[in-house]
Amino acid sequence: MATANTLERKFSVNYKSKMRPIVSVYERGKGLENLYNPNGVTIDNSTGDIYVADCSKNCVKVFDCNGKIMFKFGDEEGEGKMNSPTGLAICRDRILISQRNNCILNYQVNGKFISKIGKPGKRELEFDHPRGLAFDESNGEVYICDSNNHRIQILSQELTYKTQFGKGNLKSPRDVELTKEFIYILDRSELCLHLYNYNRILHKSIISTGYELQLRIPIFFCIDNSNNILITDCYSSSISIFNSQLNLIDKISLTSPAGITVDNKGKVIVVYKWRSTSSQYVLKMSLFC
């Protein structure tokens, strides 16, 4: 087994022969680089830096493109102190972070706290278990999965409330991704993907069926540069990969995968847990290219 702070290279994964993991391995311990309970992950395409929400350590850890730890933030005392961070989204020079105490934190990408957005509740700019977030580069809007309120809230570029949608269709929205044509929403309770158009009208819903296709506990998803959809599933310990026609094309076995994202060059990053031969969990961050 590779030790902490080492770079492990694996054989190619059969994902149209384009995914080759370069894996940074972090064992449980006291070092800055150690991940305890990774959730969301995102990448700053301007720098290649990788941001990982460490839920149990109440912070975000930042790695370079080779998996080397750079710094962490959010666990300092004060208004910006994190409480179980979950979802992440880079919004130009800012990073927004959802957390379990039902608000959104607004930081600079260098880790400097700016503001807190929202509070617990059911009204505008109020949240109940916010999860995944997405940023619309075209207009600066931010989409937030307000899971237990069964909706998506949309904020303006200035992070003020703009509108919401999804009530009546969404049960527990877990993650959201944007393409030019559709808003994709992963619904954990319904075990399906919802596709909305930009008039926020439901276009269609796709529910996976059958043992091989069935999603069990979907966590996060991303859409690559070829419009393939990669969904992490904690229960089945796998990443399910669907093509743009929503046919299953591959499945990658990973123990307890969580956050997953893709950069503008097609590199896929996933954080997950792997059980070693000694039955101890080792937390990993994989970069597939």
Side-chain angles (χ1 to χ4, degrees):
M1 182 180 68
T3 58
N5 304 321
T6 63
L7 193 68
E8 178 190 12
R9 298 186 182 274
K10 288 189 172 183
F11 293 104
S12 295
V13 176
N14 184 21
Y15 170 41
K16 290 192 173 180
S17 301
K18 65 183 281 189
M19 293 182 70
R20 181 176 59 84
I22 306 169
V23 183
S24 296
V25 182
Y26 302 102
E27 298 188 49
R28 287 182 180 271
K30 297 182 180 180
L32 173 63
E33 73 280 357
N34 296 316
L35 297 169
Y36 281 72
N37 184 13
N39 270 253
V41 60
T42 192
I43 189 165
D44 186 343
N45 282 309
S46 66
T47 62
D49 295 340
I50 301 161
Y51 292 71
V52 182
D54 195 333
C55 186
S56 293
K57 284 298 178 180
N58 299 312
C59 68
V60 168
K61 294 186 175 180
V62 186
F63 303 83
D64 68 16
C65 59
N66 295 312
K68 181 181 178 181
I69 187 70
M70 297 170 63
F71 61 94
K72 67 181 175 105
F73 62 93
D75 55 351
E76 306 87 0
E77 294 298 326
E79 190 178 9
K81 184 176 176 62
M82 294 182 189
N83 185 334
S84 300
T86 305
L88 305 171
I90 297 285
C91 306
R92 301 191 176 116
D93 60 347
R94 309 189 308 266
I95 180 168
L96 297 182
I97 302 148
S98 63
Q99 50 176 13
R100 291 180 183 170
N101 66 346
N102 302 320
C103 69
I104 308 299
L105 296 179
N106 179 23
Y107 276 83
Q108 293 179 3
V109 291
N110 63 7
K112 182 179 179 180
F113 176 70
I114 302 173
S115 62
K116 183 168 69 173
I117 301 141
K119 61 182 181 179
K122 299 182 181 298
R123 295 181 294 181
E124 297 175 0
L125 270 185
E126 295 181 347
F127 302 97
D128 189 350
H129 279 72
R131 300 289 188 175
L133 308 96
F135 176 66
D136 190 336
E137 288 280 358
S138 66
N139 56 23
E141 292 178 347
V142 179
Y143 290 65
I144 303 171
C145 291
D146 191 0
S147 294
N148 288 356
N149 283 328
H150 324 296
R151 64 185 178 181
I152 303 293
Q153 290 202 57
I154 302 178
L155 309 188
S156 69
Q157 185 172 341
E158 294 75 28
L159 302 180
T160 58
Y161 176 82
K162 192 166 186 180
T163 189
Q164 61 180 278
F165 69 96
K167 280 197 170 183
N169 299 120
L170 301 177
K171 294 291 182 66
S172 182
R174 187 62 171 78
D175 200 12
V176 56
E177 293 285 343
L178 310 177
T179 66
K180 291 181 180 180
E181 295 78 20
F182 295 112
I183 305 161
Y184 288 74
I185 301 166
L186 180 65
D187 195 314
R188 183 164 176 170
S189 293
E190 292 290 306
L191 300 176
C192 71
L193 274 174
H194 298 290
L195 278 67
Y196 282 79
N197 61 32
Y198 278 89
N199 292 321
R200 295 178 285 279
I201 297 171
L202 182 64
H203 176 70
K204 62 179 175 179
S205 300
I206 303 95
I207 301 175
S208 58
T209 58
Y211 181 77
E212 288 298 321
L213 297 179
Q214 184 67 53
L215 300 173
R216 305 299 177 87
I217 305 180
I219 305 295
F220 288 100
F221 77 106
C222 67
I223 301 173
D224 72 7
N225 296 353
S226 300
N227 285 324
N228 295 312
I229 303 163
L230 294 80
I231 304 175
T232 60
D233 194 319
C234 181
Y235 184 89
S236 63
S237 293
S238 65
I239 301 174
S240 296
I241 304 170
F242 299 83
N243 62 19
S244 57
Q245 287 75 46
L246 301 167
N247 299 312
L248 184 72
I249 58 173
D250 206 350
K251 222 169 191 183
I252 299 172
S253 295
L254 289 176
T255 303
S256 301
I260 189 168
T261 191
V262 62
D263 72 5
N264 56 6
K265 296 180 181 178
K267 180 191 294 181
V268 177
I269 300 100
V270 58
V271 288
Y272 64 101
K273 292 194 291 187
W274 171 74
R275 188 185 291 273
S276 72
T277 54
S278 60
S279 297
Q280 297 296 314
Y281 277 114
V282 178
L283 298 162
K284 293 188 176 183
M285 180 171 62
S286 295
L287 286 69
F288 297 92
C289 58

